[in-house]
């Protein structure tokens, strides 16, 4: 076996729109398929993609509850960054993705897990957005900026999406 | 190594991966999944419909140390061939 060069890629997922999330997961899954270690660091609006599609019974302040209602609940409820068209945009894009055999965000997340991509949720922005661990999908790590920076030090590509 | 289309057509692959109907990064994911079944120095064929695979599979081969041999266009899909690193 010829020597293959395993390198690391880190991706900061700050945005929560469907198209940007899609780009992040296509790059992440592509890199993992090419033998790279990949770490995705989810922060602020990016955390919403990791929410489970059901209300968790957690104690929240009224403001946290309001945030929870206003933000998309998981991968199937994301808006698009352009042409959202009051919610019609994601359906139109979903239709076009299906026609061109592009996997939806939900299955991209599943593929990322299968490939051993490390997904880290930023605990600081979870606090700010009022998002609790009980509301997020399983298999995540919880950490802060130092962990991300430590990972980025080892990487040769770092993206902020 | 250059191989003619006719020679490619006659190749008998050790494993055939069908990535038709998947889009980026589906074909290279399929290649990654299929390659363990190929013996070292063996031949793998990837069937794909995503035209980007023509660039992506050679890039994947280069990164992984495999030898991209070429491709054959069939009606409606592509057959791409690679030799696994020895």
């Amino acid at each position: 076996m010829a020597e293959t060069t395993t390198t690391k890629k880190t991706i900061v997922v700050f945005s929560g729109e469907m198209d940007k999330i899609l780009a992040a997961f296509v790059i992440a899954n592509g890199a993992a398929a090419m033998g790279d270690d990949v770490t995705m660091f989810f922060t602020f609006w990016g955390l919403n993609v990791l929410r489970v599609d059901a209300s968790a019974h957690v104690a929240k302040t009224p403001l946290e509850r309001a945030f929870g209602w206003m933000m998309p609940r998981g991968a199937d409820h994301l808006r698009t960054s352009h042409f959202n068209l009051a919610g019609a945009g994601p359906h139109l894009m979903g239709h076009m993705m299906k026609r061109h055999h592009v996997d939806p965000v939900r299955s991209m997340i599943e593929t990322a897990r299968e490939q051993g991509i490390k997904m880290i949720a930023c605990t600081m922005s979870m606090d700010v957005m009022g998002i609790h661990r009980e509301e997020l999908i399983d298999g995540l790590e919880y950490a802060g900026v130092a962990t991300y920076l430590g990972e980025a030090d080892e990487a040769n590509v770092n993206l902020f999406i | 190594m250059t191989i003619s289309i006719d020679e490619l057509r006659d190749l008998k692959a050790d494993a055939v991966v069908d990535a038709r109907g998947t889009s980026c990064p589906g074909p290279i994911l399929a290649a990654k999944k299929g390659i363990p079944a190929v013996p070292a120095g063996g031949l793998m064929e990837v069937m794909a419909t995503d035209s980007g695979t023509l660039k992506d599979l050679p890039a994947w081969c280069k990164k992984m140390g495999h030898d991209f041999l070429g491709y054959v266009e069939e009606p409606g899909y592509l057959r791409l061939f690679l030799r696994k690193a020895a």
Side-chain angles (χ1 to χ4, degrees), chain A residues 139-150:
Chain A
L140 303 177
E141 290 182 29
Y142 296 90
V145 70
T147 303
Y148 151 67
L149 289 169

Side-chain angles (χ1 to χ4, degrees), chain A residues 1-7 9 25-26 29-30 32-36 100-102 108 111 114-115, chain B residues 20-26 28-29 32-33 40 49 56 59-61 63-66 84-86:
Chain A
M1 185 87 187
E3 199 178 323
T4 58
T5 47
T6 300
T7 44
K9 316 283 184 238
F25 274 99
V26 167
N29 280 324
M34 294 182 82
D36 287 341
H100 294 283
H101 311 293
V102 175
M108 293 243 178
T111 306
E114 283 167 18
Q115 295 207 91
Chain B
R20 290 177 294 181
T22 71
S23 202
C24 180
I28 57 166
L29 281 169
K32 181 198 179 190
K33 276 194 186 133
T49 42
D56 273 18
W60 181 80
C61 286
K63 180 84 191 285
M64 307 307 286
H66 308 310
K84 187 173 176 176

Side-chain angles (χ1 to χ4, degrees), chain A residues 7-157:
Chain A
T7 44
K8 183 182 272 199
K9 316 283 184 238
T10 51
I11 303 176
V12 179
V13 186
F14 175 91
S15 309
E17 292 102 337
M18 178 197 197
D19 41 354
K20 296 184 184 184
I21 292 292
L22 202 62
F25 274 99
V26 167
I27 296 168
N29 280 324
M34 294 182 82
D36 287 341
D37 293 328
V38 181
T39 296
M40 302 176 84
F41 187 74
F42 294 84
T43 184
F44 289 93
W45 313 107
L47 287 168
N48 287 319
V49 74
L50 304 176
R51 292 176 77 195
V52 291
D53 192 2
S55 58
H57 297 284
V58 285
K60 287 198 178 196
T61 66
L63 193 57
E64 283 182 342
R65 203 165 294 284
F67 255 73
W69 273 105
M70 288 187 292
M71 297 187 301
R73 189 174 273 162
D76 297 330
H77 303 282
L78 307 176
R79 49 178 287 147
T80 49
S81 66
H82 293 277
F83 301 131
N84 188 56
L85 308 172
H91 293 289
L92 295 176
M93 189 175 274
H95 174 74
M96 269 146 58
M97 283 162 60
K98 201 167 181 178
R99 223 180 80 194
H100 294 283
H101 311 293
V102 175
D103 284 339
V105 172
R106 178 160 299 287
S107 52
M108 293 243 178
I109 295 174
E110 214 40 61
T111 306
R113 281 187 207 258
E114 283 167 18
Q115 295 207 91
I117 289 174
K118 193 191 278 188
M119 294 192 267
I120 302 175
C122 165
T123 50
M124 181 274 274
S125 45
M126 283 171 66
D127 289 344
V128 173
M129 320 277 280
I131 295 175
H132 298 245
R133 289 185 191 202
E134 293 82 354
E135 298 173 83
L136 299 182
I137 60 174
D138 293 330
L140 303 177
E141 290 182 29
Y142 296 90
V145 70
T147 303
Y148 151 67
L149 289 169
E151 300 267 349
D153 271 344
E154 298 167 1
N156 63 350
V157 169

Side-chain angles (χ1 to χ4, degrees), chain B residues 2-36:
Chain B
T2 39
I3 295 186
S4 74
I5 302 269
D6 287 332
E7 283 174 307
L8 282 175
R9 235 182 258 280
D10 291 338
L11 287 178
K12 188 84 194 84
D14 295 294
V16 181
V17 173
D18 191 352
R20 290 177 294 181
T22 71
S23 202
C24 180
I28 57 166
L29 281 169
K32 181 198 179 190
K33 276 194 186 133
I35 201 77

